[in-house]
Amino acid sequence: MTSTVAAAGAFTDTELDDRFRPAFESIAAGATEREVDRRLAYDEVGRLRELGFGALRVPVEFGGLGATVRQQFRLLIDLAAAESNLPQALRVHFSFVEDQRLAEVSDARDTWLRATAGGVLVGNAITEPGVGAVDRYQTRLTRDGDQWVLNGTKYYSTGSLYSDHILVAADQDGERVSVLVDAHADGVTQHDDWDGFGQRLTASGTTEFNNVVVSPDRILGPGYGDAGKTYATSYLQLVQLAVLAGIAQRATDDAAAWVRDRTRSYTHAAADLPREDPLVQQVIGKLSSAAFTARAAVLAVADVLDEVLVDSSTAQDPELLDRAELAAAQAQLTVIDLVLAATTQLFEVGGASITSESLRLDRHWRNARTISTHNPSIFKSQAVGAYVLNGTELPYAWSAGKR
């Protein structure tokens, strides 16, 4: 029996905005200070839990908000404008929710949907340092007497420090499996040692597993590493693009606010006040356009994913999956260039004072540049070109936590 659970837009956009906007405004107010102090956003994630942000796509009958994909990505862009680290930190959580929505009806499926509706969050520990990759994981799930134990080290454990459970990719007797581990279980050690120059608060550091006991019901099957077409590739990429769209919006807002308050200009400027200078206005106009275009591109892909993620049958339709994969790749190639340019151009509206460390406006470029390195666009542009010219199959990644 397959699932018929599907989101139908239980709340209007206005109702969802009214629910989350105050939290987003509060989160935005502390973003610069958190960046300076490198303070992980535990309190901010806690507020989002309370409001049910992690349950946006959980159907209403399980206690969630029943949002459409488009509604979810509207809110992810707005959250990214407030704090770009948080949508990325929740990326695998949302994919896990989709997997449960699409799973066969079972007590386990229903339990996880209700748990996420209650505020439970899922992080990830997929990628390994060094030689560990999808086809050669060093993390092992092995039999120890009458129980299974997990051992290994993962990096890029994005969001796991904020989470209740961690989705882990491992090798079990030569086969790839995904297991769900309690984040605070004995033998789990997490480190905030992500050393990238951007997206510093995503909790993307190292996670160690030392003889962590895993019950059989937490072994989810092939999961990440299961070859084939999947919605997850385009969906996970779209979260990153939503982050970029949010960064563009915040960069526009910050630059405009700085210009409005500025009273000093150049002797050869066209106006006494920067906000009245047509050249400065031109820069702000370009920033605003970049934010608009990035947002529109993300929502266009979200519309396609709304068709894909109706139920388990549409989520396996190869034609729909190709449409979503192509749309996400095409959007990536435009959005990255737009946002990187915009987060550089914003410095044209002022002199050296706009580079002040107290403003931390450089974080917008650093964050955009960092998020853009996920699934590098040089590979996507080639894949899109080969598909358009020759009908070459699009390269999919693998789904996480698929039962």
Side-chain angles (χ1 to χ4, degrees):
M1 181 177 181
T2 58
S3 170
T4 58
V5 175
F11 294 89
T12 66
D13 289 351
T14 299
E15 288 170 332
L16 290 171
D17 288 344
D18 289 345
R19 183 186 187 98
F20 293 108
R21 184 182 296 112
F24 291 171
E25 290 174 350
S26 175
I27 289 169
T32 303
E33 182 180 350
R34 284 191 300 275
E35 171 77 13
V36 172
D37 297 339
R38 194 186 169 114
R39 177 175 63 80
L40 291 178
Y42 290 113
D43 293 342
E44 291 73 20
V45 171
R47 178 81 185 279
L48 294 175
R49 281 180 192 263
E50 293 170 2
L51 292 171
F53 193 78
L56 277 169
R57 288 279 291 156
V58 175
V60 172
E61 56 265 41
F62 292 96
L65 298 179
T68 64
V69 178
R70 182 185 180 89
Q71 287 178 321
Q72 179 184 40
F73 277 91
R74 283 183 67 255
L75 292 169
L76 283 173
I77 292 169
D78 292 344
L79 176 58
E83 172 57 87
S84 69
N85 293 276
L86 294 184
Q88 185 186 358
L90 296 172
R91 187 170 72 130
V92 169
H93 168 82
F94 286 122
S95 179
F96 178 81
V97 169
E98 293 296 340
D99 283 340
Q100 303 314 305
R101 284 185 60 256
L102 298 171
E104 292 185 357
V105 174
S106 67
D107 290 342
R109 190 281 305 259
D110 293 357
T111 296
W112 284 114
L113 287 173
R114 292 192 177 95
T116 52
V120 164
L121 296 177
V122 176
N124 89 97
I126 305 294
T127 305
E128 299 180 0
V131 298
V134 138
D135 58 345
R136 49 184 183 277
Y137 286 134
Q138 305 300 298
T139 299
R140 309 287 185 190
L141 185 67
T142 57
R143 177 73 73 174
D144 183 11
D146 60 353
Q147 62 188 13
W148 291 97
V149 295
L150 183 70
N151 286 278
T153 301
K154 297 287 188 176
Y155 195 49
Y156 303 116
S157 307
T158 305
S160 290
L161 282 166
Y162 299 127
S163 302
D164 304 287
H165 306 288
I166 305 172
L167 193 67
V168 186
D171 178 281
Q172 180 188 37
D173 298 329
E175 300 291 333
R176 292 183 295 268
V177 295
S178 287
V179 299
L180 204 56
V181 173
D182 293 343
H184 304 292
D186 290 342
V188 177
T189 305
Q190 297 178 272
H191 305 275
D192 179 27
D193 58 354
W194 161 242
D195 65 351
F197 59 63
Q199 293 296 94
R200 292 172 170 170
L201 308 180
T202 56
S204 296
T206 302
T207 306
E208 300 174 58
F209 303 95
N210 183 21
N211 290 324
V212 179
V213 176
V214 178
S215 59
D217 65 308
R218 296 294 186 88
I219 303 173
L220 304 184
Y224 198 89
D226 189 20
K229 295 185 178 183
T230 169
Y231 83 90
T233 313
S234 57
Y235 185 96
L236 292 169
Q237 182 61 52
L238 194 60
V239 176
Q240 312 290 41
L241 299 184
V243 172
L244 285 166
I247 290 171
Q249 186 60 60
R250 183 62 181 271
T252 302
D253 294 343
D254 285 353
W258 189 84
V259 168
R260 288 191 200 100
D261 292 340
R262 184 169 169 82
T263 59
R264 185 163 62 90
S265 189
Y266 294 93
T267 56
H268 53 286
D272 292 334
L273 292 174
R275 67 175 180 270
E276 296 174 354
D277 191 309
L279 295 179
V280 173
Q281 292 169 352
Q282 182 181 31
V283 173
I284 298 298
K286 287 182 177 180
L287 298 184
S288 179
S289 177
F292 171 84
T293 303
R295 183 184 186 90
V298 169
L299 296 181
V301 182
D303 286 340
V304 179
L305 280 168
D306 259 321
E307 297 181 50
V308 172
L309 295 173
V310 171
D311 56 34
S312 57
S313 62
T314 56
Q316 297 176 50
D317 184 313
E319 183 177 344
L320 283 175
L321 290 170
D322 276 351
R323 280 183 56 202
E325 186 69 14
L326 179 62
Q330 290 170 325
Q332 178 184 356
L333 297 178
T334 298
V335 169
I336 287 176
D337 288 346
L338 268 178
V339 177
L340 288 177
T343 53
T344 298
Q345 289 170 350
L346 74 85
F347 294 98
E348 298 294 335
V349 301
S353 56
I354 199 173
T355 67
S356 171
E357 281 278 10
S358 64
L359 297 173
R360 287 293 169 112
L361 294 179
D362 62 301
R363 79 181 189 277
H364 298 316
W365 182 88
R366 288 188 289 101
N367 290 339
R369 181 65 276 178
T370 300
I371 203 78
S372 298
T373 62
H374 293 74
N375 305 313
S377 60
I378 58 170
F379 298 105
K380 286 297 179 68
S381 61
Q382 181 277 326
V384 171
Y387 176 84
V388 171
L389 286 171
N390 306 314
T392 305
E393 285 286 329
L394 293 164
Y396 286 78
W398 295 275
S399 61
K402 187 164 113 183
R403 289 178 183 274

